[in-house]
Amino acid sequence: MPDWLTAQTFVSVHVFFIMVHVILLTVAYLIYVERKAASYIQDRVGPNRVGFDFGLPWLKPLRGMLGLGQPLADGMKFLLKEDYAPDRVDKKLFTLAPMVMIVPALIGFAIIPWGGTIVLPDLDLPLIGTMEGGPIVIAGLHVNVGVIYLISVATLSVYGVTLGGWASNNKYSFLGGLRCTAQMISYEIPLGLCILAALLLVGSFLPEEIIGYQRDHGWLIFAQPLAAIIFFIALLAESNRIPFDNAEAEQELVGGYHTEYSSMRFALFFLAEYAHMITGCAFFALLFLGGYELLPFVSVFPAVAEGSILAVLGIAALKFAVFFGKVLLLVCFMILIRWSIPRLRYDQVMMMGWQAVIPISLVLVVLTSTMVYLGLGGVVPMFIANAILAVVIVALVPVLPRTRTNQRLPLYGSRFCPVTGSTVQTGPTDPLAREDRPLQGTVTA
Amino acid sequence: MLHPLTTLASQPNVALDQYLPLAVIIVGAVGFAVANIVLTKIIGPSRRGANKGMSYESGMNPVGTARKRFNVRFYLIAMVFLVFDVEIIFLYPWATTFPNLDPANPDAGIWLFRIFFFLFTTIVAYVYGFRKGVFNFD
């Protein structure tokens, strides 16, 4: 066996390639689940025709099947459609953009320790000889930078959005790409600060140690509930999900940065979006929901699986099932949000990001570091501190100065028109605009 | 005074061969992307036309190019993002070493104060941007 091929490398590469397939399959069926959920919420039936009969008479029993063959049919169709680039696009960048989008989405989840740490016995493998056993982590990549890798790789997909919008040479694409870039980089900051607030308690970058801390001290969602909420909001904004999907606001921007894309290039954008959702939810589960631990304050699985090869692989599979179950629940929650909440306006998204979420997460980091300094880094003091901060925020909201821009226009006859006799509060400050609008002061009749 | 932090920082064993799977992973991911695009180019049909080659702008004939000047606000966001992002990156190493310090260490307060000063400079930048109206979108 060659020197450079350690057990960790061997296992990592295999885990990664298994997980890529698992995640791509999950993505395909997530799209199906999303369509089904949407149709039930909107009182429709949704996809229910495509089974696995492929139109063949002797496979008739496989027809229908609740439309479970739909993802396969969609994938085939993406592959068979024309890969078209309009005349004015920048051909090179136009082809590059979906690749730049999909590569980070595929390699980002590599550090997630799906199966925890196992002690692998010595193995005799065909072709490569005896592999020396030892403790290894069931993850695609086990590096000392840990979560930093995930943050930095996931951020790279911003380039895909920017390039896609720019290369299309279409005004809608360009605006969509610009908006999306600005939104993604804005919500990167609260994302980073919330990870910081969690890491301040853990004191390590390594995913295994983050889970280990949560095994000993309870899940971080109890110690840092505010950070968890802000992290989830930022995740929604990062993966361009409703209520933050201004990049492809259909009423304003047609399809956003992928307006001009077709066939597999469009499918890669689509895949990347869903793969990002799964990566993000796995990150959330890792940081705040205890990773592969089943219960919040009780440890069910052994921290390090030891024993025969079957036993350790069994425990790793169980841990993976728990971890992936949490990820699927979170993704379903995202889907539920998508079909329940209307889209925010773009200026509302950005103002929420810069004027609310970022200051709150900054205060949270200061608060957490002070608590750690005072030796109050446990679950109960941190929960109380978070609760106090939440109360202070809610109490401060009415006191803060309010912006007058983009508020309701008190146009006479509109549904925003104030009640007769009440004083009109909002109005343009520009004197010229004031002349245009007679409705200022008190509403008479 | 540097002693506790430097010893903690030197603990993780930096071995480059742990990044070996990353090379395989990147090759796999790029291969996936390239293979898909090449496949659909080969399998799918290919027809061109004057109207088909037009940009889709809601069914209107496109006027001019999209390579135009755009709102300066996006530049401002990018600049403020840089300020914050660089700050956060500097905070990560501190966040992993600070909780591991001995609570009885008399220098812990100094380390905390230094980071607070570092955060304070960013907050000054934030307040300046706020007063300048960088975060107002209208």
Side-chain angles (χ1 to χ4, degrees):
Chain A
M1 183 168 154
D3 215 22
W4 46 268
L5 187 64
T6 57
Q8 179 69 58
T9 308
F10 184 77
V11 171
S12 283
V13 171
H14 281 78
V15 167
F16 174 75
F17 278 98
I18 293 169
M19 279 320 292
V20 162
H21 290 90
V22 169
I23 284 185
L24 287 179
L25 193 72
T26 318
V27 163
Y29 275 93
L30 264 187
I31 296 170
Y32 168 79
V33 168
E34 172 133 38
R35 289 175 68 182
K36 270 290 190 200
S39 54
Y40 284 127
I41 288 172
Q42 296 168 346
D43 204 9
R44 295 186 281 118
V45 181
N48 65 345
R49 295 299 171 93
V50 190
F52 294 100
D53 62 326
F54 304 108
L56 302 172
W58 65 85
L59 283 173
K60 210 174 177 184
L62 295 175
R63 192 172 291 172
M65 290 187 67
L66 299 167
L68 279 172
Q70 190 73 45
L72 189 66
D74 285 345
M76 290 300 285
K77 193 166 179 176
F78 273 131
L79 208 57
L80 293 174
K81 281 283 170 184
E82 180 175 359
D83 183 28
Y84 191 73
D87 292 339
R88 296 196 308 174
V89 302
D90 189 328
K91 287 268 160 43
K92 282 180 200 138
L93 294 183
F94 193 72
T95 316
L96 191 66
M99 294 195 214
V100 173
M101 195 78 181
I102 190 77
V103 170
L106 284 184
I107 67 176
F109 58 79
I111 60 139
I112 304 284
W114 299 101
T117 311
I118 63 171
V119 177
L120 201 69
D122 290 355
L123 290 179
D124 278 320
L125 294 167
L127 293 176
I128 51 174
T130 310
M131 193 168 67
E132 206 177 310
I136 56 155
V137 180
I138 303 284
L141 187 64
H142 181 59
V143 287
N144 55 1
V145 292
V147 295
I148 298 278
Y149 165 83
L150 181 44
I151 304 163
S152 49
V153 168
T155 312
L156 287 178
S157 61
V158 177
Y159 286 110
V161 174
T162 319
L163 283 180
W166 174 259
S168 295
N169 203 350
N170 177 328
K171 291 169 200 86
Y172 292 112
S173 299
F174 183 51
L175 286 174
L178 265 183
R179 274 183 171 199
C180 188
T181 312
Q183 177 187 321
M184 280 168 98
I185 62 173
S186 297
Y187 277 86
E188 211 116 278
I189 296 161
L191 197 80
L193 286 171
C194 287
I195 296 166
L196 203 62
L199 290 185
L200 265 170
L201 297 181
V202 179
S204 172
F205 289 139
L206 292 176
E208 272 295 282
E209 287 185 19
I210 295 172
I211 295 175
Y213 176 87
Q214 297 183 73
R215 191 187 300 119
D216 300 337
H217 299 83
W219 294 358
L220 275 170
I221 195 169
F222 299 111
Q224 291 279 25
L226 261 182
I229 294 168
I230 294 175
F231 188 83
F232 197 75
I233 292 173
L235 269 188
L236 286 175
E238 283 286 306
S239 50
N240 282 312
R241 298 285 294 178
I242 282 182
F244 303 106
D245 72 334
N246 284 282
E248 40 191 296
E250 292 89 353
Q251 297 86 344
E252 303 158 24
L253 290 173
V254 192
Y257 56 89
H258 49 56
T259 305
E260 296 288 6
Y261 281 90
S262 62
S263 82
M264 212 60 207
R265 283 195 257 199
F266 171 74
L268 289 186
F269 275 119
F270 216 63
L271 271 179
E273 185 191 324
Y274 279 80
H276 268 300
M277 271 169 69
I278 294 181
T279 310
C281 288
F283 201 10
F284 186 88
L286 167 74
L287 271 181
F288 295 106
L289 294 181
Y292 46 70
E293 286 295 321
L294 187 59
L295 296 169
F297 291 98
V298 198
S299 181
V300 179
F301 301 118
V304 178
E306 282 177 282
S308 67
I309 180 79
L310 277 179
V312 294
L313 287 183
I315 289 175
L318 278 178
K319 284 181 174 178
F320 166 75
V322 172
F323 205 142
F324 211 67
K326 283 179 189 172
V327 173
L328 288 184
L329 279 178
L330 283 169
V331 172
C332 288
F333 183 53
M334 274 192 171
I335 289 175
L336 202 63
I337 287 176
R338 168 158 184 190
W339 297 102
S340 318
I341 299 179
R343 176 186 300 132
L344 289 174
R345 220 170 47 204
Y346 185 65
D347 63 301
Q348 291 170 333
V349 172
M350 295 301 279
M351 294 225 281
M352 183 178 135
W354 284 101
Q355 302 189 4
V357 174
I358 289 175
I360 293 173
S361 38
L362 262 177
V363 172
L364 196 64
V365 167
V366 172
L367 182 76
T368 312
S369 49
T370 315
M371 294 290 278
V372 168
Y373 171 62
L374 296 175
L376 297 170
V379 175
V380 179
M382 276 316 297
F383 185 81
I384 294 170
N386 269 264
I388 291 172
L389 182 59
V391 169
V392 167
I393 291 162
V394 173
L396 266 180
V397 168
V399 189
L400 292 174
R402 301 187 64 135
T403 167
R404 287 260 176 265
T405 51
N406 285 321
Q407 288 202 336
R408 295 167 175 179
L409 288 179
L411 283 179
Y412 197 75
S414 83
R415 68 194 170 99
F416 299 124
C417 183
V419 193
T420 313
S422 65
T423 313
V424 178
Q425 299 256 322
T426 59
T429 44
D430 185 27
L432 257 176
R434 226 182 251 271
E435 283 172 20
D436 271 355
R437 302 215 173 92
L439 202 68
Q440 282 291 319
T442 313
V443 183
T444 45
Chain B
M1 192 179 286
L2 267 172
H3 183 66
L5 280 187
T6 45
T7 46
L8 278 171
S10 63
Q11 268 173 8
N13 177 21
V14 183
L16 220 55
D17 61 347
Q18 63 184 351
Y19 287 92
L20 191 67
L22 186 60
V24 184
I25 285 168
I26 289 177
V27 169
V30 172
F32 174 80
V34 173
N36 267 310
I37 289 178
V38 171
L39 255 184
T40 183
K41 202 90 191 162
I42 294 169
I43 297 176
S46 179
R47 296 177 203 94
R48 303 203 74 84
N51 281 330
K52 193 176 177 181
M54 221 186 264
S55 301
Y56 179 72
E57 296 188 349
S58 290
M60 309 277 287
N61 288 353
V63 178
T65 159
R67 307 280 156 80
K68 285 184 175 170
R69 299 207 304 181
F70 54 91
N71 199 330
V72 72
R73 205 170 284 285
F74 292 109
Y75 286 111
L76 294 179
I77 288 297
M79 285 193 313
V80 185
F81 164 73
L82 276 184
V83 172
F84 274 88
D85 211 40
V86 169
E87 177 211 300
I88 292 170
I89 280 300
F90 276 120
L91 285 181
Y92 274 116
W94 166 75
T96 48
T97 44
F98 183 69
N100 296 329
L101 281 178
D102 183 14
N105 193 324
D107 297 334
I110 295 168
W111 290 114
L112 185 69
F113 174 75
R114 285 180 180 171
I115 285 298
F116 277 1
F117 182 76
F118 182 50
L119 273 172
F120 174 72
T121 55
T122 318
I123 291 170
V124 169
Y126 179 81
V127 171
Y128 178 77
F130 200 96
R131 298 282 297 242
K132 280 278 179 185
V134 177
F135 308 128
N136 276 328
F137 290 82
D138 39 16

